[in-house]
Amino acid sequence: MDQQTLIYFVWLIPLLPLLAFFTIMLFTRKHDRLSHTIAIGAIAISFVLAQIVFWNAVAQGGSHAAEPAAAVESSTEAPSATAEHSAETPAAAEGEHAAAEGEHGYPAYVESHIPWLPQGLNTLNMGVLVDPLTAAMLFMVPIACFMIIFYSVGYSNFNKKRDPHDQPGFPPHKGREPMYGRFFAFLSLFAGAMLTLVVADNLLLLFIGWEIMGLCSYLLIGFWYARTYPDRNKITPRGAAVKAFMTTRVADVFMLLGIAFLYSSTGTLSFTEIFTQEMTSQLAAVLFLGIPAAQVIYMLLFIGTIGKSAQFPLHTWLPDAMEGPTPVSAMIHAAAMVSAGVYMVIRMFPILGGTVPRGELVTFTPMIIIGTFTALFSATIAFTQRDVKKVLAYSTISQLGFMISALGMGAWVAALFHLITHAFFKALLFMGSGSIIHGVEHGMHATEHGHDDHAAAPAHAEAAPDDHGHGHDDADPQEPDMDPQDMFNMGGLRKKMPVTFWTFLIGGLSLAGFPIFFAGFWSKDEILGHAFHYPQFQIVFWVLVFTAFLTAFYTMRQISLTFFGQPRTEAAGHAHESHWTMIAPLVILAVFAIIAGFVGVKADMPGLGLIFNGPFAKYGTPFEHFVEPVLATTIEIEVLSFDWTPLLIASTAGVLGLALGWWVYGRRPLAAGQPDPLEVKMGGLYVVLKNKYYIDEIYNYVFVQPARRFAVWMGDVFDRKGIDGVLHGIADGALRLSLAFRSFDTKVVNGGADGFAASIKAAGHWLRDIQTGRVQNYLLLALVSVVLLIALYITLFS
Amino acid sequence: MTIPLSWYLIVAAVLFCIGIYGVLARRNAVGILMGVELMLNAVNINLVAFWRYLNPTDVAGQAFALFVLVVAAAEAVVGLALIISVYRNRTDIDAENINLLKQ
Amino acid sequence: MTLTHIIFIVFAAITLLSALFCVTTRNMFHAALYLVISLFGVAATFAMLEASFLAAAQLIVYVGAVAILIIFAVMLTRGGAGSLPAERQFNTQAGLAAVVTVVTLFILLRVVPFFNYPVQDAAVPVDILTQLGHALVGDFVLPFEVASVLLLAALIGAIYIARERRKGEVEG
């Protein structure tokens, strides 16, 4: 595989889904089969290319792993090399150039850029960079996107015909999604944007991808734009879309400020140029209000992540984003958007390298505080939720909190590792929930039409995949207003939907951190291990352990309520397994949810360490060795040795949580109509948790309503009276002026001309009187003239 | 040459002006003609006076005055014929009413 | 003041006064008569200027022919404006005409008599009449002939203009 081909592949990875978006939107939107073929084809090829790039990187990266010293050495030659490179870049601006480990000492497998924006002496370049971090992301993102897009075929009821009763803008009832092509177009755009962000070699291109994803979140959360609910307090998809977009927008402003600050401090946005020893020490030396510039920049960028990855206090949009179709939830909350937020802060972490002496642990306290708090905070909300997707939403927020917290503590590798494993099992869980919901809805349709319909099995041989909520529009005579997403309406689905059950269980156990076999365990353990190791993070450690316990608890609660026991409603009783296009991705992701963790096994772990690391490695995990060179130019990270204590504590917390969950919900599964036992026991506290600590209400009161009132005021008073008043006044004034001119024209100019003519006429009239016809008059005139002439003559000439 | 030339000239001038007044102010057409005759006579006086005082040996002065006289007579004849013709048509020789050229 | 002066002043007065009455009287017949007197006065002036032939010619032509003609015309046009004395003998511009006339008179009187005329104090030749006769058919034969043609034309014209029109014949 020569370097040039590799470069082409890397460029193609984000381009193919973007092209798919344009093609579908412009040309094939009406053709369902063609649309999904293009979308799936594009992402599938991207996936293949990404895999090629990834394995290529692994092959190259292996050589680094054996000699960590080499990484250190290359960093010492970095300063001089960097100076060269920065000066060289303008000269080498035309055409592309690629280097494995370029003159800058940065471990890039693929590097390629094109000049984009000439700015006088130097040029802003747009390009791609594949380093170990990118490679790791390229392993996860395309496959997750591929699975989700593939899943969408079944989810959008491709196997059904279009139902004429289904309106665009509403979720389909029993037929195919009316806006089928559009959905795939947007998903492709989303995937394309995420991939752009991942392979970007500079912060600007990353930001472009970031913003496009923000747009996609709006388009996709509000996909069923026309949908409304009779309950006025329930947010509509349109409202949720606006909320998501607005919240992330607020954060993006700060991020842009961070980018601007970074650019003004360093004169570049390119990663390879920023992440050098000299640049980071310079950034740490420059002070802004007494704080090193590096930290200010990082804080501003982190605010962007707070919005995008739904950390407290900008977390409110994520649960409401569940209004979108389930593949969108999977995309946003697992594979793409929230991951992008964490990816960005992971990517930018090295700029903090100069804030501490080399070799010391690099930390960022605001991230620790916000991340840990968010993790705990949303975990406490999660176990009070009834909606299956909402539980997963809060779970996502919580897990993201874990990652942020880890990164804040300096556990860079652990944060990245957890990001990747989380993407797999969360996508799995979301798609699983989609499958569950489809099953229950099918059950609802079955009971709607009476039980004898069930005998006519062929009619219902294929699932009636619908998303939730139309229970409100379609009053079922036996079960009116049933919410197919409410877990308390489920139960016993284990028998009805076995594949969904097993895959969901695998995902859940991974999330909960069940030891050994599940990826979530390894990644969570690494975070906790890091926290445990450093004495200053003791409190954080225990809070995270407690959160892990809660995570396991609500996971088991969810699984029990959904799958165990007897069906609590007739609909649940009539559910059946989903279409193969939905099942297949679940299985594939379940496999990853298990095996992805094994790259995180420490070499010095007894037994397993040897299996997964091979005989030569003495310490660290394979994943760590792979990604570590990214930091090498700026930060020296300490590779922790294996420690049983945090591992056992984490395992215990996880298992205990699962056990407690089973004890409360699974041992004696709830019957129909039975309330949540915790609700009964916890009383008022439960209500607060269930209402998400009333934060949405507080925000509404403090921010939304005043903003709305201001907007109304601007519209009615300022705009209509003020600006329109001025405009009308000007128009009025102009009109008056023109009328004045008109009257001037009429009276003065016309009048003048007419008057002049009239006066000439009058003069003519008057002069005509001279022509009396009487000779004597003429004679008199002649005489007078002669006399005058004579007088004149006399006066002048004598 | 006891009487200075200027006396004759003064007489002629006064007679001329009287004639002008008659021409301009009279209504009766014949009256107008009478004024014209007076004017012509004034001119004749002038001519003869100048002949006598400036160049008495040259006969041209008298000849001139003679011719003026002849022309004046001819003109009086024609004028009166016209007046009579007008009278025949309108029974009115008021010069104020002979104004068909009026605009 | 010699006799000559007195005679001159008398005749001048007669001429001017009768001329004045001629143009101011309301009765046309009187005006004609005054005209005659004025013409006599002019003849006298000619005589004082030693232009004897002209004086005679003046009397014959003007007084004897033109004045008579004017009297005839007056009589023939009675019933017009002139036959009504006292009213409407002067037209609307009479006042203005008087003013202008006076002005003209002033100007003339200011200028004309005070020129430096190259006066020749010579006597009239005795044979001036012979010379005049010779001149009329000699040096001035052309004006002479033209004058006669003019008279002929005037004669014919006057006859034609003033003749009686027969029935049905158009004027002019």
Side-chain angles (χ1 to χ4, degrees):
Chain A
M1 175 68 50
D2 70 305
Q3 195 67 10
Q4 193 61 32
T5 321
L6 212 57
I7 292 173
Y8 286 143
F9 282 174
V10 175
W11 280 102
L12 280 177
I13 291 173
L15 276 174
L16 287 173
L18 289 173
L19 276 175
F21 163 70
F22 282 112
T23 315
I24 298 174
M25 269 318 256
L26 292 174
F27 303 118
T28 68
R29 234 180 330 150
K30 305 288 182 210
H31 305 110
D32 296 343
R33 186 184 288 273
L34 195 55
S35 299
H36 81 221
T37 312
I38 292 173
I40 294 177
I43 193 68
I45 298 174
S46 281
F47 162 65
V48 169
L49 296 177
Q51 287 294 310
I52 294 173
V53 171
F54 172 74
W55 289 109
N56 186 284
V58 167
Q60 282 190 272
S63 52
H64 287 285
E67 313 117 26
V72 177
E73 263 166 35
S74 57
S75 67
T76 54
E77 57 191 61
S80 48
T82 316
E84 261 175 57
H85 176 75
S86 326
E88 252 182 17
T89 315
E94 61 270 11
E96 315 148 75
H97 71 278
E101 193 174 287
E103 313 84 62
H104 45 69
Y106 194 84
Y109 299 116
V110 176
E111 239 187 304
S112 162
H113 58 84
I114 52 174
W116 189 61
L117 189 66
Q119 298 175 304
L121 286 177
N122 57 346
T123 323
L124 205 59
N125 296 318
M126 283 288 148
V128 297
L129 171 72
V130 176
D131 63 357
L133 172 57
T134 317
M137 292 299 282
L138 278 179
F139 180 76
M140 179 271 283
V141 172
I143 182 135
C145 293
F146 182 23
M147 290 298 106
I148 292 169
I149 293 181
F150 190 82
Y151 176 86
S152 302
V153 173
Y155 186 82
S156 303
N157 297 342
F158 181 71
N159 49 323
K160 303 246 168 227
K161 293 231 178 18
R162 292 220 182 184
D163 185 349
H165 295 298
D166 286 333
Q167 297 290 323
F170 289 98
H173 203 82
K174 271 180 257 181
R176 194 184 292 177
E177 165 65 58
M179 300 191 287
Y180 195 83
R182 199 171 136 113
F183 193 57
F184 281 91
F186 289 158
L187 284 177
S188 299
L189 182 63
F190 212 146
M194 181 65 189
L195 289 167
T196 307
L197 184 143
V198 165
V199 302
D201 80 337
N202 62 71
L203 202 47
L204 187 61
L205 188 56
L206 188 150
F207 190 65
I208 291 173
W210 182 280
E211 288 297 321
I212 297 178
M213 280 201 291
L215 169 71
C216 285
S217 73
Y218 171 80
L219 292 172
L220 283 168
I221 293 173
F223 189 70
W224 290 316
Y225 49 80
R227 189 178 203 183
T228 55
Y229 300 114
D231 178 6
R232 286 274 151 254
N233 289 326
K234 190 163 157 50
I235 196 164
T236 62
R238 259 171 71 200
V242 173
K243 186 171 179 179
F245 203 31
M246 285 292 139
T247 317
T248 53
R249 218 70 195 91
V250 168
D252 290 345
V253 170
F254 289 96
M255 183 173 166
L256 199 53
L257 281 175
I259 296 176
F261 193 359
L262 179 62
Y263 184 70
S264 73
S265 309
T266 60
T268 175
L269 289 175
S270 166
F271 297 141
T272 51
E273 288 174 20
I274 296 176
F275 300 140
T276 60
Q277 192 84 24
E278 117 193 314
M279 202 60 96
T280 54
S281 25
Q282 182 190 325
L283 280 174
V286 173
L287 293 188
F288 183 80
L289 301 178
I291 306 174
Q295 290 187 328
V296 175
I297 293 171
Y298 198 69
M299 185 67 208
L300 289 169
L301 294 174
F302 174 54
I303 295 178
T305 299
I306 294 179
K308 204 67 141 194
S309 297
Q311 298 298 291
F312 183 86
L314 296 174
H315 63 282
T316 49
W317 65 271
L318 199 146
D320 289 324
M322 296 299 119
E323 291 300 318
T326 309
V328 173
S329 309
M331 193 76 157
I332 293 180
H333 303 131
M337 205 156 117
V338 298
S339 303
V342 180
Y343 168 76
M344 192 270 292
V345 280
I346 289 179
R347 168 63 80 190
M348 297 307 295
F349 192 74
I351 66 169
L352 293 175
T355 57
V356 295
R358 195 166 171 91
E360 228 180 80
L361 184 68
V362 181
T363 60
F364 195 67
T365 316
M367 279 176 91
I368 302 177
I369 297 172
I370 290 179
T372 318
F373 176 75
T374 309
L376 180 63
F377 164 79
S378 58
T380 55
I381 300 177
F383 67 80
T384 64
Q385 298 299 307
R386 291 174 70 117
D387 184 325
V388 60
K389 281 170 76 174
K390 287 266 170 40
V391 176
L392 294 174
Y394 286 105
S395 164
T396 306
I397 300 175
S398 177
Q399 294 302 304
L400 290 168
F402 262 91
M403 296 174 220
I404 301 286
S405 175
L407 194 60
M409 292 191 284
W412 189 85
V413 177
L416 175 61
F417 187 38
H418 197 57
L419 174 67
I420 294 181
T421 56
H422 172 264
F424 285 127
F425 58 70
K426 201 37 79 60
L428 166 61
L429 284 170
F430 268 111
M431 292 200 278
S433 72
S435 173
I436 294 168
I437 294 166
H438 261 49
V440 173
E441 281 184 341
H442 169 259
M444 280 166 67
H445 293 130
T447 53
E448 233 171 74
H449 297 124
H451 296 277
D452 32 64
D453 272 20
H454 219 57
H460 284 285
E462 288 142 44
D466 256 327
D467 206 339
H468 82 109
H470 83 273
H472 293 282
D473 327 326
D474 187 10
D476 184 281
Q478 281 134 333
E479 283 150 329
D481 283 317
M482 192 187 100
D483 182 3
Q485 296 186 192
D486 189 338
M487 294 190 293
F488 284 80
N489 291 332
M490 300 176 190
L493 292 179
R494 177 164 65 109
K495 306 224 175 55
K496 305 286 176 193
M497 308 173 70
V499 182
T500 307
F501 167 63
W502 285 106
T503 53
F504 199 90
L505 183 65
I506 291 172
L509 290 176
S510 203
L511 170 62
F514 194 84
I516 311 292
F517 295 107
F518 299 99
F521 165 71
W522 296 104
S523 56
K524 203 174 289 190
D525 171 62
E526 218 173 303
I527 298 176
L528 293 172
H530 182 101
F532 184 74
H533 180 95
Y534 293 99
Q536 63 264 40
F537 300 136
Q538 281 303 308
I539 302 177
V540 177
F541 173 74
W542 287 110
V543 170
L544 288 179
V545 166
F546 180 61
T547 310
F549 166 75
L550 284 177
T551 308
F553 175 70
Y554 65 64
T555 308
M556 192 43 113
R557 171 180 179 264
Q558 182 175 32
I559 295 174
S560 308
L561 283 174
T562 314
F563 294 107
F564 294 160
Q566 296 304 313
R568 282 186 277 281
T569 57
E570 266 205 72
H574 281 100
H576 72 56
E577 193 56 271
S578 302
H579 196 250
W580 71 270
T581 49
M582 290 202 277
I583 298 298
L586 293 180
V587 172
I588 295 174
L589 284 175
V591 171
F592 279 106
I594 296 173
I595 66 172
F598 295 133
V599 295
V601 179
K602 289 206 193 292
D604 43 353
M605 180 172 183
L608 293 170
L610 196 64
I611 300 174
F612 292 111
N613 281 286
F616 298 106
K618 293 283 169 258
Y619 55 91
T621 71
F623 186 74
E624 195 165 9
H625 291 135
F626 181 64
V627 300
E628 190 201 13
V630 174
L631 289 181
T633 53
T634 50
I635 300 176
E636 197 178 296
I637 56 175
E638 188 187 340
V639 179
L640 301 177
S641 51
F642 179 72
D643 190 347
W644 276 109
T645 321
L647 185 136
L648 286 174
I649 297 177
S651 309
T652 317
V655 171
L656 269 181
L658 288 169
L660 187 63
W662 182 77
W663 180 270
V664 175
Y665 296 98
R667 189 167 54 97
R668 264 174 307 187
L670 298 180
Q674 200 177 345
D676 191 330
L678 280 189
E679 191 169 359
V680 173
K681 288 204 186 93
M682 288 171 69
L685 178 61
Y686 194 85
V687 174
V688 171
L689 294 178
K690 191 161 175 198
N691 284 307
K692 311 159 270 166
Y693 298 93
Y694 297 107
I695 292 194
D696 275 311
E697 286 74 10
I698 295 171
Y699 281 173
N700 188 39
Y701 186 72
V702 174
F703 296 114
V704 178
Q705 292 307 325
R708 201 166 257 159
R709 258 174 288 163
F710 180 65
V712 168
W713 178 83
M714 281 298 261
D716 284 343
V717 176
F718 190 67
D719 192 47
R720 213 169 296 140
K721 289 186 193 146
I723 296 181
D724 276 2
V726 170
L727 288 176
H728 287 142
I730 292 175
D732 199 45
L735 193 65
R736 277 175 211 272
L737 188 66
S738 79
L739 282 175
F741 277 134
R742 164 99 186 270
S743 92
F744 174 75
D745 189 47
T746 311
K747 287 179 197 149
V748 177
V749 178
N750 273 6
D754 286 348
F756 185 63
S759 67
I760 290 183
K761 193 170 173 189
H765 272 282
W766 175 77
L767 275 174
R768 224 199 279 155
D769 289 344
I770 292 177
Q771 304 281 327
T772 55
R774 305 209 291 254
V775 181
Q776 286 167 304
N777 299 140
Y778 302 160
L779 283 171
L780 181 62
L781 263 171
L783 180 64
V784 167
S785 320
V786 168
V787 166
L788 282 172
L789 279 171
I790 292 173
L792 202 71
Y793 183 81
I794 294 170
T795 332
L796 289 177
F797 294 110
S798 1
Chain B
M1 301 280 147
T2 44
I3 301 174
L5 172 60
S6 57
W7 285 30
Y8 286 102
L9 297 183
I10 290 168
V11 168
V14 176
L15 188 64
F16 187 73
C17 288
I18 292 171
I20 285 177
Y21 181 72
V23 167
L24 294 179
R26 273 290 201 185
R27 270 199 190 210
N28 193 318
V30 181
I32 295 172
L33 220 68
M34 286 193 253
V36 173
E37 294 307 322
L38 288 171
M39 284 163 75
L40 284 164
N41 275 287
V43 166
N44 256 0
I45 296 174
N46 243 7
L47 277 171
V48 174
F50 276 126
W51 165 76
R52 176 67 184 83
Y53 280 85
L54 266 49
N55 211 351
T57 50
D58 193 353
V59 79
Q62 275 202 36
F64 200 161
L66 197 65
F67 284 122
V68 170
L69 201 125
V70 167
V71 171
E75 162 262 321
V77 162
V78 174
L80 287 169
L82 280 171
I83 291 171
I84 288 177
S85 176
V86 168
Y87 180 78
R88 284 231 180 87
N89 269 305
R90 295 155 146 244
T91 341
D92 175 22
I93 49 166
D94 183 345
E96 291 268 281
N97 299 336
I98 304 174
N99 57 2
L100 286 178
L101 278 177
K102 176 179 157 85
Q103 283 300 311
Chain C
M1 185 72 63
T2 61
L3 187 64
T4 324
H5 289 138
I6 297 170
I7 294 174
F8 174 81
I9 288 168
V10 167
F11 276 113
I14 290 172
T15 312
L16 294 177
L17 280 172
S18 56
L20 192 63
F21 286 133
C22 171
V23 295
T24 54
T25 183
R26 295 186 190 270
N27 189 331
M28 284 315 298
F29 196 72
H30 293 171
L33 293 176
Y34 280 124
L35 182 67
V36 169
I37 299 170
S38 187
L39 289 171
F40 267 111
V42 172
T45 313
F46 285 162
M48 273 191 285
L49 282 169
E50 298 180 60
S52 46
F53 176 67
L54 264 175
Q58 168 89 356
L59 285 172
I60 296 170
V61 172
Y62 261 117
V63 177
V66 175
I68 303 299
L69 198 59
I70 287 176
I71 292 170
F72 271 123
V74 166
M75 286 197 291
L76 280 175
T77 60
R78 296 261 196 109
S83 60
L84 297 142
E87 44 178 277
R88 303 205 305 142
Q89 194 47 260
F90 295 99
N91 63 19
T92 43
Q93 70 176 27
L96 185 59
V99 169
V100 175
T101 310
V102 169
V103 169
T104 313
L105 183 60
F106 267 125
I107 291 174
L108 285 173
L109 289 181
R110 286 253 344 139
V111 172
V112 166
F114 299 105
F115 253 52
N116 249 346
Y117 298 106
V119 175
Q120 269 185 337
D121 205 355
V124 180
V126 175
D127 60 344
I128 191 69
L129 211 55
T130 317
Q131 280 183 33
L132 183 60
H134 282 307
L136 280 177
V137 294
D139 288 329
F140 301 128
V141 64
L142 184 60
F144 182 70
E145 294 302 328
V146 170
S148 30
V149 172
L150 176 69
L151 283 171
L152 181 66
L155 182 70
I156 295 172
I159 291 171
Y160 181 76
I161 289 170
R163 73 185 170 135
E164 293 261 344
R165 296 288 191 262
R166 267 163 264 171
K167 266 219 192 114
E169 194 178 343
V170 178
E171 285 291 314

